[in-house]
Amino acid sequence: MSAMLSVENLGAWYGAARILYDIAFEVGRGEVVALMGRNGAGKTTTMKTIMGLIPERQGTVRFNGDDISRLRPFEIARRGLGFTPEDRRIFADLTVLENLDIGRQPPRSFPDGTPAPAWTPDRLFSLFPNLGEMPNRPGGRMSGGEQQMLTVARTLMGNPLLVLLDEPSEGVAPLIVEQMANTIIELKKEGLSILLSEQNIHFAKLVSDRVYVLEKGQIHWQGSMAELEANQDVQKAYLTV
Ligand code: ATP
């Protein structure tokens, strides 16, 4: 499988504090890859660094073969890399439909010319029926789980080729967690690639093909999801189980 996203020697700093060290990984086309580790391991920082949101960074990020390491965040987004932030960033005074409109970008194709999935509010409402029941509700009057769905839906309005999903299961009710897992499986069927950040193996194992385990800003283990499930030592050392 050729890598759609590849990261080499990634480093990041917040001021004088170094957070990431020599991070390297790949996400292939159509793959769901989990970046796993406990709170503070560096998952969010890795995603923000890929998106160009951390000014003090080093290393190479390639997307569809192009070096995007020095591009600005909006330039990276326009190439078809979608980012669903952990803190959601929903506009509280705007309705569901208006929040979706903010994410709208033109249709896109994969490098081989195959069209990427193209999303409309109607298609997203069939993927997230809860949102379809509240198109005119202001973002600020939705539950955490509904806001989480809206955040993913808004990212999809940009017709991305690959989505960085930062802890989609965090702080949402079990029913929504299950729906979120089904959504990821649907997106994979549509041909999208996903890099998922997650600390909980119970969610990650439902959807992920491969895993990279982070601790203190470094990758300590990598393998298939089946290998991680069988490896109690790695789970105990680095994950919430
Ligand atoms: P979480 O599940 O809590 O989001 P994470 O694995 O995503 O964890 P990061 O949020 O990337 O971890 O944090 C990695 C390290 O960077 C932590 O030690 C954190 O305290 C630190 N950090 C995060 N954001 C900042 C910031 N804006 N300024 C300084 N340090 C930060």
Side-chain angles (χ1 to χ4, degrees):
M1 190 180 292
S2 67
M4 187 163 206
L5 177 70
S6 74
V7 167
E8 278 167 38
N9 188 33
L10 202 70
W13 288 256
Y14 290 114
R18 182 161 194 177
I19 307 297
L20 301 182
Y21 299 84
D22 199 19
I23 302 278
F25 63 85
E26 290 184 350
V27 182
R29 182 160 165 191
E31 247 195 327
V32 179
V33 172
L35 206 52
M36 300 195 69
R38 295 203 172 94
N39 271 339
K43 306 178 297 293
T44 298
T45 305
T46 301
M47 290 193 167
K48 286 186 172 170
T49 306
I50 292 169
M51 288 308 294
L53 292 164
I54 308 288
E56 290 169 272
R57 60 185 189 270
Q58 72 173 34
T60 309
V61 180
R62 284 203 174 77
F63 187 52
N64 290 324
D66 297 333
D67 185 343
I68 61 164
S69 336
R70 305 316 307 170
L71 298 184
R72 289 173 291 176
F74 74 92
E75 293 169 324
I76 294 170
R78 278 187 193 164
R79 286 176 179 244
L81 206 50
F83 176 43
T84 301
E86 191 179 21
D87 57 2
R88 301 179 185 141
R89 306 282 181 110
I90 291 298
F91 292 93
D93 295 336
L94 300 185
T95 66
V96 166
L97 276 172
E98 289 165 342
N99 269 284
L100 289 180
D101 243 348
I102 284 175
R104 196 185 288 271
Q105 289 185 53
R108 276 205 181 74
S109 298
F110 290 97
D112 67 2
T114 319
W119 300 94
T120 59
D122 278 349
R123 275 199 77 205
L124 289 166
F125 290 158
S126 51
L127 193 63
F128 299 104
N130 308 32
L131 296 184
E133 286 166 19
M134 53 182 80
N136 298 312
R137 181 163 310 176
R141 288 187 33 229
M142 300 167 74
S143 72
E146 288 159 357
Q147 288 189 351
Q148 185 63 47
M149 290 181 182
L150 181 54
T151 313
V152 176
R154 183 186 57 194
T155 303
L156 293 172
M157 283 293 288
N159 301 315
L161 308 176
L162 186 150
V163 180
L164 309 180
L165 263 182
D166 197 0
E167 294 211 41
S169 75
E170 201 197 16
V172 300
L175 193 65
I176 309 267
V177 170
E178 201 176 303
Q179 285 182 28
M180 202 54 81
N182 290 333
T183 302
I184 291 171
I185 291 164
E186 282 304 308
L187 296 178
K188 181 180 158 86
K189 279 190 202 148
E190 292 266 352
L192 289 188
S193 312
I194 293 175
L195 178 67
L196 174 77
S197 127
E198 186 55 57
Q199 39 182 302
N200 191 322
I201 192 167
H202 301 299
F203 180 77
K205 75 178 181 195
L206 300 175
V207 297
S208 314
D209 300 309
R210 288 191 305 116
V211 183
Y212 294 87
V213 174
L214 269 180
E215 163 116 320
K216 296 199 174 119
Q218 287 182 293
I219 290 178
H220 284 260
W221 186 88
Q222 67 184 75
S224 69
M225 191 70 231
E227 285 165 343
L228 179 63
E229 277 189 86
N231 192 330
Q232 297 298 325
D233 293 343
V234 169
Q235 290 187 37
K236 282 198 193 104
Y238 303 116
L239 301 176
T240 311
V241 283

